[in-house]
Amino acid sequence: MTENSTAAPRRIVGLGGTFRQASSSERIVRAVLAECAAMGAETVMFDGPALAALPHFNPEQAERTAEELALVEAVRMADGIVIGSPGYHGGYSGLVKNAIDLLEDLRGDARVYFDGRPVGLVVTAAGWQACGTTLSALRDVVHAMRGWPTPVGVGVNSVEQRPFAPDGSLIDEAVARAVRAQAEQIMGFRVEARA
Ligand SMILES: Cc1cc2nc3c(=O)[nH]c(=O)nc-3n(C[C@H](O)[C@H](O)[C@H](O)COP(=O)(O)O)c2cc1C
């Protein structure tokens, strides 16, 4: 493995969360971004309301809104991505999938979709089963889009663990360790030099 040649800060893009004010999936994605920022990254977050501003993806619609262009461009320029979803009915949410489908706009890029980039995955759910199934489903999506899911996925049982203080800060040490480990894997990711 070789070092990336750029000395510029890594750009890490987070996307995910729900409409809920205290969205746990959004908070965990933000926690991963904060760890990446502490390691020198520039970060940007597309949270639940930002994803809700995206129209339903229509493959026959060529025009893009400013919100759509902003997300596509951010992912295009990203060195790493963090995707967070609640477990909804055993899978990831429609809000998150709609945003991912918009990334079809990256299909013509030299670096197509998530190609060559690490993708950290975060799921919160009311039960462990949905944590596992949703993480697994998201990994399949990242593989399909040529990304590299980090070995550490963060699954949080939002009923059993209650990892946040009333001010939203992360107080569960096990979750914090997983968040840190994922951030280290994103920031430590090196792309093989291509001939
Ligand atoms: C429509 C809907 C479906 C859900 N389905 C499941 C499920 O299948 N399994 C589960 O464990 N939790 C399920 N939950 C609970 C959420 O996954 C859980 O509350 C999650 O932490 C919410 O994320 P948020 O805090 O980011 O909004 C569901 C919640 C909603 C609203």
Side-chain angles (χ1 to χ4, degrees):
M1 295 281 181
T2 57
E3 292 284 323
N4 282 348
S5 56
T6 175
R10 291 189 175 213
R11 287 165 293 211
I12 310 298
V13 173
L15 65 95
T18 66
F19 282 104
R20 291 192 334 99
Q21 194 77 38
S23 166
S24 55
S25 48
E26 176 190 328
R27 283 174 168 179
I28 300 285
V29 174
R30 286 190 186 277
V32 177
L33 293 184
E35 290 288 345
C36 292
M39 290 179 242
E42 285 175 357
T43 67
V44 58
M45 176 73 190
F46 293 85
D47 60 13
L51 301 185
L54 303 172
H56 279 163
F57 176 70
N58 175 353
E60 295 186 331
Q61 167 74 264
E63 292 82 41
R64 295 284 177 251
T65 65
E67 290 81 9
E68 287 177 307
L69 291 172
L71 176 63
V72 170
E73 195 55 23
V75 174
R76 176 174 281 132
M77 301 307 292
D79 299 300
I81 299 105
V82 184
I83 300 175
S85 176
Y88 275 3
H89 306 130
Y92 45 78
S93 71
L95 199 62
V96 168
K97 189 59 162 66
N98 187 54
I100 290 172
D101 289 344
L102 173 64
L103 301 178
E104 180 63 10
D105 282 8
L106 302 176
R107 73 183 172 283
D109 284 22
R111 195 169 63 164
V112 64
Y113 302 130
F114 298 138
D115 188 27
R117 269 87 57 82
V119 184
L121 298 172
V122 165
V123 172
T124 70
W128 290 115
Q129 180 166 297
C131 285
T133 55
T134 305
L135 262 182
S136 183
L138 281 171
R139 284 203 169 106
D140 287 347
V141 170
V142 174
H143 283 150
M145 297 175 75
R146 307 193 194 183
W148 296 76
T150 57
V152 172
V154 182
V156 174
N157 184 318
S158 49
V159 170
E160 280 185 20
Q161 291 185 291
R162 301 205 174 276
F164 305 107
D167 68 358
S169 57
L170 190 51
I171 50 169
D172 183 302
E173 189 43 43
V175 175
R177 267 199 308 275
V179 161
R180 214 172 300 126
Q182 182 176 99
E184 283 167 359
Q185 290 179 348
I186 292 168
M187 294 298 287
F189 189 85
R190 296 289 182 272
V191 179
E192 191 83 43
R194 293 182 188 185

